[in-house]
Amino acid sequence: MSTPTLSAPTTLRHARILGLGGYRPERVVTNEEILQFIESSDEWIRQRSGIVTRRFARDDESVVDMAEAASRQALDRAGLEPGQVDAVLMATVTHPLQTPAAAPILAHRLGIEDPAAMDLSAACAGYCYAISLANDMVRAGTADTVLVVGVEKLSDFTDKHDRGSAFIFGDGAGAAVVGVSDRPGIGPTVWGSLGDRADAITQRESWTDLRSEMEAEGREAGIAWPAFVMQGQTVFRWAVFSMAPVAQQAVEAAGITPADLAAFVPHQANMRITDAMVKALDLPPHVPVARDIAQTGNTSAASIPLAMSRMLDEGEAPHGGLALQIGFGAGLVYAAQVVEMP
Ligand SMILES: CC(C)(COP(=O)(O)OP(=O)(O)OC[C@H]1O[C@@H](n2cnc3c(N)ncnc32)[C@H](O)[C@@H]1OP(=O)(O)O)[C@@H](O)C(=O)NCCC(=O)NCCS
């Protein structure tokens, strides 16, 4: 008996971002507030990172709450109802439950019935990873409309006494609706990972190590919360030297030149990393560059959609223009692609 041939789509469709949304928590946290816990100065933080303020979520505000607000805005701007979404990809490393994932909970909150839904752990590259997957899903016909969310509540996983990281991180959510298009709206993704550098940004210890400590020392022993720690200089050097070539490759893979770009939206890790990339890429001066880090801090998976939303909202970047976006962070992982802005 011969094996039957499975049915599979033979033609690819085009996909693009139909709508973008963002959510920043209400509470603005100044450098002065951060300085209550670390030996540093407002001037040092501004000069070395470019950060002036960041936002922290309320204690009772979750990644799902923030994701819901950003998603509703993205759907509204795409002119779609939640019921039209058939897959939800949520990029986050700060959903505080090992399981269930945040994506099905978000989908239920939004009233999306029975979608494919999962979380994706790729830190500051998570949003670009998810955009790549959503693009492929729509192109191949696995889904018609994919809700992509990048969301973090980093304040839950930051050690406010660690001067190497306390001033960097913030909270927020960004969302994109990816759907069927009459033209290519998401270019090829250039991505990769370097697991040998896994210790460059990491949770201080694993949950199972924490459990062992609690069992050995008892609950009252003052055991430290496993916050995120990073080797700032290692990450900084890697980003500055290795990420511009990746961004360049994404531009080439899209079949355009830097002069065709209407925006450059790198992950908002550090203003000096952004400056170094702009210089290395030799971006034409007419290309506006996202600098949302000054007001929003580093929000990991949320930083690119938040920064792009701000540029569109403030008229700094044109709707329909091409943007180069690149995410990079803990893993180490990275991903870059050119997208048509909605
Ligand atoms: C964290 C970061 C801003 C630190 O800046 P840096 O210029 O690399 O600083 P260094 O670690 O080299 O430290 C330089 C000096 O400042 C001091 N310093 C470090 N943190 C400080 C702080 N918060 N305030 C004041 N001084 C500080 C150091 O002790 C060192 O002093 P020394 O020269 O006397 O030894 C930078 O490394 C960075 O942004 N890295 C990337 C982080 C990132 O993007 N992470 C998210 C994942 S994408």
Side-chain angles (χ1 to χ4, degrees), residues 40 44 48 163 201 230 232-233 267 269-270 272 298 328:
S40 187
W44 191 94
R48 294 296 181 115
R163 76 202 288 249
I201 312 174
M230 66 177 179
Q233 269 208 21
H267 165 49
N270 181 317
R272 290 188 298 141
N298 176 339
F328 48 87

